[in-house]
Each structure stands twice: as C-alpha cells, then as structure tokens.
Amino acid sequence: MNATPEKPAAAKKAVTKKATAKKAVAKKATAAAGQAPAKKTAAGTTAPAKKAPAKKSTAKKATAKTPAKAPAKKAPARKPESRVAMVRRARRINRELAELYPYAHPELDFTNPFELLVATVLSAQTTDLRVNQTTPRLFAVCPTPEDMAAMPPEKLEELIRPTGFFRAKTKSLIGLSAALRDRFGGEVPGRLEDLVTLPGVGRKTANVVLGNAFGVPGITVDTHFGRLARRFGWTTAEDAEKVEADVAEIFPKSEWTMLSHRVVFHGRRVCHSRKPACGACAIAPLCPAYGEGETDPEKARKLLKYELGGQPGQRLKPPADYPGQPAPPMAPPVAAS
C-alpha cells in the first residue's frame, strides 16, 4: 500500500498551527483594543471579554463630583504711562490735595526760626504732637541759641526726654546752638548751604526751616512724603535726596513748600503706611496704588485720622483756619505717693 495516510496527518498539524497563530493574533488585537482576555466558563464555552473602563469617562465622573474652581481674575494691566501723562496726573493730584487741605501747614508749634529749627531736630523718630507737648517747657528755659548752648547737658536731656533719643538730640541741640552763637551771630541762617553745616541738621530739616521760616521753596522728604511719592508713581527711589530731585523735576519751584505740606497731611490722615484708606480717598481715581488698602467706603472712613477722623490735630496752637481741634498739652507727671 502507498504511504498516503501520512498526508492527512501532516495537513492536520498545519491546520492546528494556523489556528494557534490566529488565536495569538486575536489575543494581541484584544489587548491592543483595551479588552480583557476572554475567560472560559465551567461548561467550556468562552465568555465574551469585558471592556476595560475608559479613562475619559473616569475623568468626567471625577469632575462631576468635585467641580474645578474658576481661575482667579487678574487685575487688568495698566497701560504704560508716558512722562507727559505722569506729570499731568501729578499736578492734578496736587490741585486735588490743595482743595482737600486748604489749611495745610507745618505741624510743629513755633514763633521764630530758632524754635522751628529746634522742634524739627526733636521731631526725628517721634510725632509732631509729642514735640509740641515738649517744647513749651524747653523754650521757657532756653529761648535763644546762647541759652541753649550754655544749658547743662543733663538738664537739657530731662527737658526733651519725652521725644526719645534724648542723649543724641541733646548733643545736636547744644552743638547747633553753639554754632549759631559762634558762627552766625546767634541767628538762624537763611541758606541751605549754611543750615546743613549745623550739627543734627540735614536737607529735610533745612528745607522745613527755609520753606516755613524764610519763605524759600523746598521739598521736605520725610517718611510720609517718600511713601506717597512712590505710590503716586512720581519716583521709584528710596533715597530721600533722589526722591527730592525726582519730584522737583515735576512741579514748579513755587509749589514745593505747600506740596510738601499737602502730601504729608494726606499721608498722616488717609494714605497710611500699613492700611491706607483707599475707599475714602479723594484722589483714588488718580492713584496707581489704589487697592493696596481698604476699598470699602464705610470701613475706610473708620481709618481716617486727626481732623478728618474727628480727632484733635498735632498742634497745641494750630492756625486760625484749622478746622479741627487743638491737641491737648502733655499731662503733668503723677506725683509719687
């Protein structure tokens, strides 16, 4: 007989190999499609493969449970301001402040240039109110440079102790009084170049004296003035002399002294360092820093100080046109029992 029966066996093997290959391909296709491999049941039948849960639907469900927060709205960016626009805005702020504070004045009590010079030196690191409460006794004892230069340091220290830093201030007062006696005939000079040669006298003090005792225009850059000049966008400088130079380029010289008073008044009453009363500020529409402080009008009004807040001012003897109350004198010391 011929060996023909071997052919069907070979053909069977070939068919089996093809079927196995097809199953392998099917498994790969199933895995690629994200389907779980089919499981055989107890009866030997093949159960349909379960589909893996889609990632997108999971994300949707999670989103539905915890809705995403809307992104915070950013304040609209301000357009860059030209130099001309800044100068116009600055001068308008000055006009608005002039209407708000027509009674602006130096907040130190004085009757002559020497008293103003001494009071300004004492005002460092303290309030004008505390100086005004201290100087009546001081000037009663030593009304002239000659008297103050001859004052024993210990006695002068006791007289000015309430203003703080009394030892350093005593040294400055005795030094400047002696210089006025010896170099200027007992008179306060009316030139900046001379004033700044006196012990304890810098440009700020000199400009206060020149502007208010001699009528010579000057810009007084104290902490209030510097802070507001930066908030108003008049300067970015921190150094007092640079602030003075930048502001001097914006305003005519005739405005320098009164501009200083108005800005300082506004800084003490409304535009405070830590919590400015933006919601009660008359120049808010002109201020690039609006929003740094309290913007609610009712809450902002509670932050106003001195006459705007219904409280006494800093001078014991304010000008006649001052709309607020005079400050009270210093309470007498309590006697030891």
Side-chain angles (χ1 to χ4, degrees), residues 30-53:
T30 303
Q35 295 178 346
K39 291 182 180 179
K40 286 189 178 181
T41 62
T45 56
T46 304
K50 289 183 181 178
K51 291 184 179 180

Side-chain angles (χ1 to χ4, degrees), residues 47 117 129 131 147:
L117 176 61
L129 171 59
V131 174
D147 295 326

Side-chain angles (χ1 to χ4, degrees), residues 95-119:
R95 292 194 296 272
E96 295 283 342
L97 291 178
E99 289 184 17
L100 184 60
Y101 307 109
Y103 51 88
H105 57 270
E107 294 190 271
L108 290 169
D109 288 329
F110 69 98
T111 60
N112 57 56
F114 176 64
E115 288 186 358
L116 179 57
L117 176 61
V118 170

Side-chain angles (χ1 to χ4, degrees), residues 303-329:
L303 300 173
L304 300 178
K305 293 183 179 179
Y306 302 113
E307 75 281 358
L308 295 188
Q311 300 141 7
Q314 298 200 80
R315 290 189 69 166
L316 277 64
K317 298 176 181 178
D321 61 345
Y322 180 65
Q325 307 167 38

Side-chain angles (χ1 to χ4, degrees), residues 256-276:
W256 288 357
T257 300
M258 287 309 300
L259 170 73
S260 300
H261 292 323
R262 293 165 192 153
V263 172
V264 170
F265 256 58
H266 197 61
R268 285 175 171 166
R269 287 150 178 77
V270 181
C271 195
H272 312 134
S273 176
R274 293 185 181 177
K275 204 169 184 182

Side-chain angles (χ1 to χ4, degrees), residues 101-164:
Y101 307 109
Y103 51 88
H105 57 270
E107 294 190 271
L108 290 169
D109 288 329
F110 69 98
T111 60
N112 57 56
F114 176 64
E115 288 186 358
L116 179 57
L117 176 61
V118 170
T120 308
V121 170
L122 291 176
S123 69
Q125 305 296 319
T126 190
T127 63
D128 287 357
L129 171 59
R130 184 47 57 99
V131 174
N132 293 335
Q133 292 173 328
T134 303
T135 50
R137 284 181 61 215
L138 174 64
F139 294 140
V141 175
C142 43
T144 68
E146 290 82 3
D147 295 326
M148 193 167 287
M151 175 76 65
E154 297 79 12
K155 188 174 180 181
L156 187 56
E157 285 178 5
E158 286 305 310
L159 287 170
I160 68 170
R161 182 183 288 269
T163 66

Side-chain angles (χ1 to χ4, degrees), residues 181-248:
R181 178 196 63 197
D182 300 339
R183 292 197 281 125
F184 298 100
E187 299 293 329
V188 176
R191 297 195 320 152
L192 186 141
E193 295 83 355
D194 295 327
L195 283 169
V196 294
T197 66
L198 301 174
V201 178
R203 286 186 67 90
K204 185 198 86 169
T205 299
N207 280 328
V208 169
V209 174
L210 290 173
N212 298 286
F214 293 99
V216 177
I219 296 172
T220 304
V221 182
D222 65 358
T223 55
H224 302 289
F225 191 97
R227 178 177 72 252
L228 268 64
R230 286 184 288 274
R231 282 180 176 170
F232 293 160
W234 299 350
T235 183
T236 57
E238 296 286 340
D239 177 72
E241 287 193 31
K242 184 66 170 66
V243 172
E244 181 186 341
D246 289 345
V247 175

